[in-house]
């Protein structure tokens, strides 16, 4: 039989989630791991999205790892190239390069019920065996193109915002921009000055608030470099403000009316034409869709070379684009800013669980996991930025770091249980967690605000956003509650795995304290117990291979 590389942990993806997982593994003293990356470099969505104007709408001092503060951010909202460079530096500083397997796209990963490990086949023909898989492929990795009839008849250039064709010169061209999401509102002001004519196909107007972007001066950077606590304080302030906003989104959406007035005032300042203002004014509660931040979007729309078609792209007839309302537009190029496969994560089709079912089949009625991480039927497998871990108003890096705490504890628990064991999320625990999340979701602006968004799946269930503060999620993922898992052990002979230890009852509410748990059922040959929880990592120092071996 062929010998395959066998590792303790395989991390899939090398964006913020995958690199963060890799750093955390090394800090936990685990060096027997690989990071499988389908592209030729690290960076995830910040590598793939190179469209003009691409930047983060979360302030940089919050949109970075707590263990890798960066005093050198050039702007309050830094651009894609700086975020990508930051991730490259993280890979270097924390000794992640030796673990990287670039150009290793996962074709399929299967749980082997006999050997009790994951067998991962990559598109380049290699096979890697891993005891544990940490899937960090992210929700924004696979571009979504709408199925527009006649698109294949278009003679011009067509590309997606996340696959920008830099070889195509837009200068003087008639460009159709499809969509008005976070990507499109950055692209529009960036390309408007050089295109001949820009036609924006707006299916739903977004709420747009001003973005207080500015350069961070030398003195400010010097201060953060020489007195690091000032950077920490800045991060803390940015975090605290956003935490205070959460209850408006989750409990009191009517209170968001005031924010709508600010957004409308910003629009009125930039757009003098009442007809255009009417087209651009949303009819749903602010926050229902992601609130977009830009101080240049509305001014760009007011320019004479821009048209807004208040209707979606419905059909293409050669070089004529037809909107749902019948408006016809001639174009040389179409740019799709139509988002990503979020609620139908393509990686789920490639994960095959204990009974041969794929994760996509398991998630057919909607994505569901335990604490955003694990899924019933998929032992020793977890995901970073899984179901209901998204945020409407703060930094996803905070959520990722919470999930890394959970991952670290999961691996500690497995170590205590010994070789040949796996933790399998109990279906009742998964259901309980999701029921409680959905219960909390009922009052939120995402569910009640009167819009349709990619936060909701095709069944109208919100499987993407976390209905609480980041502190709530930090508490809910501090450690693994073994009551929520079956501890299964590899069979001595060829037979399905048997449950050797199981705790019944007891689970924590989302963001809440543990509910009363029943005593663990007596286990014949295993005694699962929580291992002491390590303190979270503090401010970082460079980590080298030698330092953590
Ligand atoms: P998105 O938010 O999913 O927006 C897709 C847009 O395409 C929507 O406006 C949608 O309209 C529109 N659309 C789809 N089909 C259409 C059609 N046939 N005709 C016209 N419009 C159509 O995608 P995105 O802008 O790429 O953003 C995705 C996510 O990426 C964001 O929510 C955010 O999480 C992230 N992102 C973040 C930043 C950042 O600064 N942090 C920047 C960019 C992206 P409807 O609204 O009617 O559905």
């Amino acid at each position: 039989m062929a010998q395959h590389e066998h590792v303790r942990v395989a991390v899939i993806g090398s964006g913020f989630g995958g690199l963060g997982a890799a750093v955390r593994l090394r800090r936990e003293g685990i060096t027997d791991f690989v990071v499988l990356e389908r592209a030729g470099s690290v960076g995830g969505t910040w590598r793939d999205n190179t469209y003009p104007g691409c930047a983060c709408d979360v302030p940089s001092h919050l949109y970075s790892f707590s263990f890798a503060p960066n005093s050198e951010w050039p702007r309050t909202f830094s651009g894609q190239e700086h975020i990508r460079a930051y991730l490259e530096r993280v890979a270097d500083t924390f000794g992640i390069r030796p673990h990287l397997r670039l150009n290793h796209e996962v074709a399929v990963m299967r749980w082997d019920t006999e050997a009790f490990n994951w067998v991962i086949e990559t598109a380049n023909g290699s096979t890697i065996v891993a005891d544990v898989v940490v899937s960090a492929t992210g929700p924004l990795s696979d571009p979504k193109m709408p199925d527009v009839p006649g698109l294949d008849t278009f003679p011009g250039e067509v590309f997606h915002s996340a696959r920008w064709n830099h070889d195509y010169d837009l200068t003087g061209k008639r460009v159709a921009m499809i969509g008005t999401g976070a990507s499109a509102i950055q692209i529009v002001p960036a390309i408007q000055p050089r295109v001949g004519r820009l036609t924006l196909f707006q299916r739903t107007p977004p709420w747009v608030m001003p973005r207080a972007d500015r350069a961070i001066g030398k003195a400010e950077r010097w201060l953060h470099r020489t007195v690091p606590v000032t950077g920490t304080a800045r991060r803390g302030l940015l975090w605290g403000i956003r935490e205070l906003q959460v209850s408006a989104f989750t409990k009191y959406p009517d209170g968001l009316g005031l924010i709508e007035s600010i957004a409308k005032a910003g629009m009125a300042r930039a757009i003098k034409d009442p007809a255009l203002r009417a087209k651009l004014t949303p009819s749903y509660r602010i926050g229902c869709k992601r609130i977009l931040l830009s101080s240049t979007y509305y001014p760009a729309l007011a320019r004479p070379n821009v048209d807004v078609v208040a209707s979606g792209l419905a059909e293409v007839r050669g070089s004529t684009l037809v909107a749902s309302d019948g408006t016809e537009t001639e174009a040389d190029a179409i740019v799709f800013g139509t988002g990503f496969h979020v609620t139908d994560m393509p990686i789920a089709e490639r994960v095959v669980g204990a009974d041969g079912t794929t994760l996509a089949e398991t998630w057919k009625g909607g994505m569901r996991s335990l604490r955003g991480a694990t899924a019933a039927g998929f032992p020793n497998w977890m995901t970073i930025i899984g179901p209901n871990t998204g945020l409407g108003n703060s930094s996803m890096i905070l959520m990722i770091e919470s999930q890394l705490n959970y991952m670290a504890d999961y691996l500690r628990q497995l170590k205590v249980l010994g070789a040949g064991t796996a933790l399998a999320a109990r279906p009742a625990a998964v259901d309980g967690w999701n029921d409680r999340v959905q219960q909390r979701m009922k009052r939120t602006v995402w569910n009640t605000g009167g819009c349709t968004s990619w936060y909701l799946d095709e069944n109208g269930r919100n499987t993407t956003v976390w209905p609480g503060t980041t502190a709530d999620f930090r508490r809910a993922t501090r450690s693994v509650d073994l009551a929520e898992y079956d501890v299964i052990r590899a069979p001595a002979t060829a037979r399905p795995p048997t449950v050797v230890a199981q705790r019944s009852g007891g689970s924590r509410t989302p963001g809440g304290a543990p509910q009363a748990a029943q005593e663990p059922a007596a286990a014949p040959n295993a005694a699962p117990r929580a291992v002491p929880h390590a303190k979270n990592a503090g401010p970082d120092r460079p980590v080298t291979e030698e330092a953590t071996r």
Side-chain angles (χ1 to χ4, degrees):
M1 230 174 74
Q3 289 293 304
H4 302 302
E5 183 177 14
H6 188 154
V7 290
R8 179 71 179 139
V9 184
V11 177
I12 320 292
S14 68
F16 264 102
L19 288 178
V23 172
R24 189 58 189 268
L25 287 171
R26 291 185 57 82
R27 298 186 136 207
E28 293 293 314
I30 298 170
T31 53
D32 181 17
F33 71 91
V34 291
V35 179
L36 303 176
E37 167 54 59
R38 70 178 171 185
S41 59
V42 303
T45 198
W46 294 107
R47 174 202 57 228
D48 294 340
N49 283 272
T50 60
Y51 59 77
C54 186
C56 187
D57 59 11
V58 177
S60 299
H61 286 270
L62 190 59
Y63 197 80
S64 41
F65 289 121
S66 65
F67 54 79
N70 179 20
S71 56
E72 308 308 314
W73 288 118
R75 302 195 69 82
T76 49
F77 295 87
S78 296
Q80 171 266 339
E81 70 276 26
H82 295 286
I83 301 170
R84 184 182 180 184
Y86 168 80
L87 288 171
E88 291 278 356
R89 279 201 306 281
V90 166
D92 287 328
T93 307
F94 293 88
I96 306 307
R97 299 271 177 215
H99 301 277
L100 284 175
R101 302 284 185 277
L102 300 175
N103 302 307
H104 276 58
E105 177 169 359
V106 171
V108 65
M109 52 181 123
R110 286 195 180 82
W111 175 249
D112 183 333
T113 53
E114 300 297 321
F116 248 51
N117 48 37
W118 285 93
V119 180
I120 304 165
E121 290 169 27
T122 65
N124 65 8
S126 62
T127 301
I128 290 151
V129 175
D131 298 337
V132 178
V133 167
V134 177
S135 181
T137 54
L140 306 179
S141 47
D142 291 281
K144 193 171 181 175
M145 293 279 275
D147 194 10
V148 183
L151 185 57
D152 55 346
T153 67
F154 185 69
E157 188 64 24
V158 177
F159 50 88
H160 188 276
S161 57
R163 301 287 181 270
W164 196 269
N165 181 359
H166 290 278
D167 294 332
Y168 183 76
D169 186 4
L170 292 172
T171 309
K173 300 281 182 359
R174 297 169 301 174
V175 180
M177 177 80 230
I178 316 300
T180 51
S183 302
I185 66 128
Q186 294 181 339
I187 293 168
V188 165
I191 65 172
Q192 172 273 320
R194 65 187 148 109
V195 302
R197 178 125 230 109
L198 180 61
T199 306
L200 178 67
F201 284 77
Q202 169 195 271
R203 200 164 62 178
T204 316
W207 280 107
V208 184
M209 294 281 286
R211 187 174 69 160
D213 185 28
R214 63 171 175 82
I216 298 179
K218 276 185 186 164
E220 223 173 317
R221 283 188 257 162
W222 173 85
L223 184 67
H224 291 330
R225 195 181 320 124
T226 49
V227 191
V229 71
T230 59
T232 311
R234 181 178 190 152
R235 182 184 175 91
L237 189 64
L238 291 167
W239 169 75
I241 291 167
R242 282 159 183 75
E243 290 291 269
L244 291 175
Q245 295 166 350
V246 170
S247 60
F249 290 94
T250 56
K251 293 181 186 158
Y252 312 109
D254 287 346
L256 291 164
L258 178 67
I259 315 291
E260 286 179 8
S261 323
I262 298 170
K264 278 183 185 165
M267 187 200 298
R269 272 195 302 276
I271 310 271
K272 300 299 172 204
D273 174 5
L276 181 56
R277 267 207 314 271
K279 270 188 198 176
L280 298 174
T281 304
S283 58
Y284 54 88
R285 180 54 90 208
I286 194 168
C288 182
K289 283 171 171 303
R290 188 183 170 95
I291 300 174
L292 308 183
L293 300 186
S294 174
S295 301
T296 51
Y297 177 63
Y298 287 140
L301 295 186
R303 304 297 300 166
N305 67 336
V306 180
D307 293 313
V308 177
V309 175
S311 183
L313 175 63
E315 194 187 342
V316 177
R317 293 186 205 130
S319 60
T320 307
L321 276 55
V322 186
S324 300
D325 66 2
T327 310
E328 296 191 1
T329 304
E330 291 296 310
D332 303 311
I334 307 176
V335 178
F336 282 96
T338 44
F340 299 86
H341 288 274
V342 177
T343 53
D344 53 345
M345 249 187 240
I347 188 75
E349 284 162 16
R350 304 177 185 196
V351 187
V352 184
D355 65 359
T357 308
T358 65
L359 188 60
E361 286 161 346
T362 303
W363 281 355
K364 214 163 197 157
M367 299 191 296
R368 48 204 295 113
S369 70
L370 177 56
R371 298 181 191 274
T374 53
F378 299 83
N380 284 5
W381 184 94
M382 67 172 57
T383 180
I384 306 291
I385 317 189
N388 292 112
T389 59
L391 296 176
N393 77 321
S394 191
S395 171
M396 281 307 295
I397 315 307
L398 300 164
M399 301 299 273
I400 288 172
E401 289 196 30
S402 293
Q403 296 211 276
L404 299 183
N405 289 343
Y406 195 75
M407 174 197 79
D409 199 49
Y410 190 101
L411 291 166
R412 277 185 228 121
Q413 303 287 356
L414 276 178
K415 192 174 176 188
V416 170
L417 292 165
T421 50
L423 288 173
R426 299 178 64 196
V430 177
D431 289 346
W433 172 259
N434 281 279
D435 289 348
R436 295 191 297 279
V437 166
Q438 292 305 322
Q439 188 60 32
R440 283 177 66 159
M441 204 65 84
K442 281 185 182 157
R443 285 170 66 188
T444 67
V445 69
W446 310 299
N447 283 37
T448 64
C451 71
T452 53
S453 74
W454 58 260
Y455 291 159
L456 310 177
D457 66 16
E458 57 187 17
N459 306 310
R461 216 166 134 259
N462 190 330
T463 57
T464 52
V465 183
W466 169 245
T469 62
T470 65
D472 286 339
F473 191 71
R474 184 67 49 109
R475 278 191 293 276
T477 50
R478 200 167 31 204
S479 58
V480 169
D481 180 358
L482 281 182
E484 297 181 336
Y485 287 89
D486 287 329
V487 180
I488 53 178
R489 194 175 291 282
T493 54
R495 61 190 162 80
T498 47
V499 176
V500 296
Q502 173 179 311
R503 286 182 175 191
S504 58
S507 58
R508 279 170 292 160
T509 53
Q515 292 174 341
Q518 293 169 19
E519 276 304 297
N525 56 356
R529 63 190 168 80
V531 294
H533 183 59
K535 284 200 169 64
N536 288 347
D540 203 35
R541 62 195 188 290
V543 178
T544 62
E545 273 290 278
E546 296 70 35
T548 53
R549 208 185 287 280

